[in-house]
Amino acid sequence: MTHSTRPQDLRGIPAEAVCAQLLPWLPRQRWFAGKGRTIRGVEVVSAVELVRGDPGMFHLVLGVALEGTRGLPAAVDHYQLLLGVRRWRVDRLDHATIGRVGGDPAAGAVLYDAAHDSELTTWLLERFAAADAGDPCEVGPLVFQRCAERAPRGRLAGLVVGAEQSNTSIVFGDDVILKLFRRLTPGVNPDLELCLALAGAGSRRIPQPVAWFEADFEGEATTLGLLQEYLRTGTDGWELAKTSVRDLYADQDLLGIGGGTEPLHAHEVGGDFAGESFRLGVATAEVHADLARTLPTAIAGEDELQSLAEQMSRRLDAAAERVPELEPYTDRLRDAYRDLAQLRREDHPVPLQRVHGDFHLGQVMRTSTRWVLIDFEGEPAQPLVERRALHSPLRDVAAMLRSFDYAARHLLAERRTGQSGAPAPHLVRRAEEWALRNRDAFCAGYAKAGAVDPRAEPVLLRAFETDKAVYEVVYESGNRPTWLPVPMSAIRRLAERSPQSSPAG
C-alpha cells in the first residue's frame, strides 16, 4: 500500500525525531558530499510511504543545511533516502542502522537505510516491471518509466555494491543494477540522458538502460535512479591495470631480490596491458563518435578558449595557495593555458560535444567480449549545467591518460605509507615506462577508431592534462598526502614539456 505522507509525521514518528538521528549519521556515509563542513540542520522536504507494515519503507528527500567555510558559502544540499522502519533490530541490517526513535522498544522503531534491505528493495523492481514503455507507473510523486521491450523480472533479491562513493547501486540477481543518485540536482541526470542517447544510436559500449524513476523537484523532472543491465562478466578497468603493474613489479630482478641480469620491461611481462589500453582507446573513440552523432555539437570560439584558459589559470593560482609544492612550477604550467588561449578558430577549429566528464579506469569495465563505459553523470560536485555542457572530447582523453599514471604509480605510493624516503629509482623508471606504453597505446587505439589522433593535438591535451593534474594535487594534499608524489610527478613532466612534444610521453 502506498500513499503520500506529511513530512511532519512518518507513520506516527515525528520528522524532528528522524532528523535528530540523521544529523550524526549523514557525515559518516560515503556518498555524503559535505564532509568536513558543519551541518546546521536537517529537514525532511518530502516523504512518500512506499511500503506499509513492519518493515515499512519511505522515500525521503532531505534538505541538509551546511555552514559556510573557507571558499564555500553556506548552502542547502538535497539527498534522497529510502528510510526503513522496523519495530525490532535485525542483525543483517546493523551496518545500515541510523538509530532508534522512542525509548520503549514496544512503542519505538529502528530507522535504517532501506537500500540495504533486500526484503524492501524488491518493491522498486516491481514498480519498474509494472511500467510499460510510454505508460509509466506512478506512486504519488514518483514516476517509474522503462525502455521499450526491456521489462525487468520482479521479485529478485537486491544486493548493494560496496565500492561506490557518490551513489548507491543495488544488483538484482544477475540481471540488472539500479543506481540511486543520492545527492539531488534538479533536472535530468546526464547518466540517464547520455545512456538513452547511446542506446538509441545502437551502441554496445554501455550497459543497456532498462528503466528509470524520477520526481518533480524544484519545478523540474529530476532523475532519482537508473536501472541498467548488469555486466556480470565485467571487471573494473582499474583492477585490471593494477594487476598488470603488480605483475611488472613482481619480477624478482626488478625488485632487486634476484640474481639475474636485466629486469623485465613492461612489454616483456605476461601481464602487459598495452593491448587492452589500445582496445579501450577504440571503445572511447566510438562512444565519442556516437555522442557527436546523436547530441548537439559546436566549434569553440576564440572567446570560449580564452575563457577556458582563464578558468584553468585561476584554478592553478588557487591550488598554489593551498599546496606550496606547486609554486615553483606555476609559471611554466601557465604556458599551457596561454597556448590554449592563442588557438585561432580559422587555423585550428576545436570541436565541442557531450563527453563522459569524469573519465578514468574506474569508469570502464572489461567484459568477456568488449570494453564498456559506465557512469556518465560527470563530476558529481560540479553544477548540472556544467556537467551537461559541451566540451572537447580530448578532456576525456586527458583524464584517462592521468589515470594510467595513477595505475603505474599506485604501488609506489602505497609502499611509501609508513616508510621514509623515496621509492627505488629503478621502480620509478619501470612505472614511467608502463605509463608511457599504455598512454601511447590508448591514443593509438583512439586514433584508429576516431577522426582525431590525440597525439596530434599537443596544445589541447597538455592544457587539459595540466588542469587535471592540478586538481589531483589539491585533492591528494588534503586527503592522501602520501599519494601527493603521483600528481607531482606529472606536474614536473608537464612543466618541462614543450607544446610540440608527444602528449603521450
Side-chain angles (χ1 to χ4, degrees):
M1 182 176 184
T2 61
H3 62 274
S4 296
T5 304
R6 293 182 298 110
Q8 292 79 18
D9 181 15
L10 284 71
R11 204 205 306 158
I13 304 172
E16 293 79 3
V18 174
C19 292
Q21 296 296 326
L22 290 169
L23 194 60
W25 179 80
L26 281 168
R28 301 197 300 268
Q29 307 316 300
R30 296 183 68 180
W31 43 262
F32 183 68
K35 291 183 175 62
R37 301 183 65 179
T38 301
I39 299 178
R40 292 192 289 113
V42 179
E43 176 189 7
V44 177
V45 176
S46 70
V48 181
E49 187 172 25
L50 306 180
V51 179
R52 176 172 290 184
D54 187 10
M57 180 168 66
F58 293 84
H59 180 275
L60 303 185
V61 174
L62 306 173
V64 182
L66 301 172
E67 288 188 357
T69 186
R70 179 183 175 185
L72 295 171
V76 178
D77 290 342
H78 292 90
Y79 297 86
Q80 69 166 321
L81 172 68
L82 296 176
L83 180 70
V85 181
R86 287 178 177 266
R87 179 66 59 84
W88 306 104
R89 183 180 67 85
V90 177
D91 289 346
R92 65 180 176 84
L93 295 171
D94 277 350
H95 67 288
T97 297
I98 297 171
R100 170 176 282 280
V101 292
D104 181 5
V110 175
L111 309 178
Y112 62 99
D113 185 352
H116 297 265
D117 190 347
S118 59
E119 186 178 346
L120 293 175
T121 53
T122 188
W123 182 93
L124 297 169
L125 201 60
E126 291 169 351
R127 302 290 84 71
F128 290 125
D132 290 324
D135 185 14
C137 173
E138 298 185 8
V139 181
L142 307 183
V143 181
F144 294 79
Q145 305 195 57
R146 70 171 177 86
C147 302
E149 300 179 358
R150 290 189 177 276
R153 291 190 294 155
R155 304 302 302 176
L156 293 176
L159 178 65
V160 169
V161 177
E164 288 186 295
Q165 301 235 359
S166 58
N167 302 303
T168 298
S169 288
I170 307 169
V171 177
F172 293 96
D174 59 1
D175 287 7
V176 291
I177 183 168
L178 171 64
K179 181 192 295 183
L180 295 172
F181 299 109
R182 292 289 195 165
R183 188 181 181 188
L184 299 183
T185 301
V188 177
N189 191 288
D191 204 3
L192 171 63
E193 181 186 13
L194 298 192
C195 282
L196 290 178
L198 289 167
S203 175
R204 292 297 298 164
R205 295 296 189 178
I206 59 167
Q208 294 302 297
V210 176
W212 69 96
F213 76 115
E214 62 191 23
D216 182 87
F217 177 55
E218 296 187 356
E220 295 189 53
T222 298
T223 312
L224 301 177
L226 172 61
L227 191 72
Q228 294 175 282
E229 70 168 317
Y230 177 55
L231 304 174
R232 54 184 175 274
T233 66
T235 303
D236 180 270
W238 173 251
E239 293 302 324
L240 290 174
K242 288 199 303 182
T243 299
S244 171
V245 174
R246 288 193 187 101
D247 288 346
L248 178 64
Y249 286 3
D251 171 45
Q252 290 189 359
D253 294 324
L254 182 58
L255 292 173
I257 59 176
T261 54
E262 291 295 324
L264 295 179
H265 296 275
H267 68 280
E268 299 171 319
V269 175
D272 183 20
F273 197 64
E276 292 296 343
S277 298
F278 180 91
R279 288 183 279 273
L280 177 57
V282 171
T284 303
E286 290 177 356
V287 167
H288 282 163
D290 285 338
L291 289 173
R293 280 197 301 270
T294 56
L295 293 171
T297 61
I299 300 296
E302 294 177 13
D303 55 342
E304 291 177 271
L305 294 178
Q306 290 174 357
S307 176
L308 178 60
E310 290 170 1
Q311 293 171 24
M312 291 177 171
S313 186
R314 287 194 295 269
R315 286 194 286 268
L316 175 60
D317 291 339
E321 288 184 8
R322 296 182 60 178
V323 186
E325 289 89 340
L326 269 178
E327 184 59 39
Y329 307 98
T330 54
D331 288 343
R332 284 174 288 172
L333 292 175
R334 201 171 279 109
D335 287 343
Y337 307 149
R338 294 193 188 100
D339 293 338
L340 174 63
Q342 292 171 3
L343 289 179
R344 293 294 173 257
R345 178 171 178 155
E346 60 273 15
D347 300 325
H348 198 107
V350 177
L352 304 178
Q353 64 169 86
R354 297 296 295 275
V355 299
H356 186 283
D358 188 25
F359 202 42
H360 53 78
L361 285 164
Q363 304 282 42
V364 295
M365 300 281 287
R366 184 63 163 94
T367 72
S368 58
T369 59
R370 68 196 191 281
W371 278 103
V372 174
L373 281 62
I374 62 174
D375 296 339
F376 284 83
E377 63 178 307
E379 173 54 52
Q382 294 296 321
L384 186 60
V385 64
E386 166 65 18
R387 291 188 275 151
R388 299 188 68 201
L390 304 185
H391 298 278
S392 166
L394 293 185
R395 176 184 172 188
D396 280 350
V397 172
M400 184 56 71
L401 298 187
R402 293 295 314 122
S403 193
F404 283 121
D405 266 1
Y406 262 77
R409 293 176 175 270
H410 81 281
L411 283 180
L412 302 184
E414 291 175 356
R415 289 178 184 212
R416 289 174 62 94
T417 304
Q419 300 178 7
S420 60
H426 66 285
L427 293 180
V428 175
R429 287 194 297 271
R430 287 301 176 267
E432 293 172 347
E433 180 186 78
W434 188 97
L436 176 60
R437 177 171 174 77
N438 285 278
R439 287 161 58 95
D440 191 65
F442 177 84
C443 288
Y446 191 93
K448 181 179 180 181
V452 175
D453 186 339
R455 296 165 296 189
E457 296 287 349
V459 172
L460 281 171
L461 209 52
R462 183 190 181 198
F464 284 122
E465 192 179 355
T466 300
D467 191 48
K468 183 70 172 179
V470 168
Y471 165 82
E472 293 165 352
V473 165
V474 175
Y475 178 85
E476 301 300 0
S477 175
N479 295 276
R480 297 184 299 188
T482 59
W483 285 61
L484 185 58
V486 176
M488 284 303 302
S489 68
I491 290 295
R492 288 188 289 271
R493 170 174 56 81
L494 290 162
E496 294 168 0
R497 184 202 293 171
S498 68
Q500 290 74 33
S501 62
S502 170

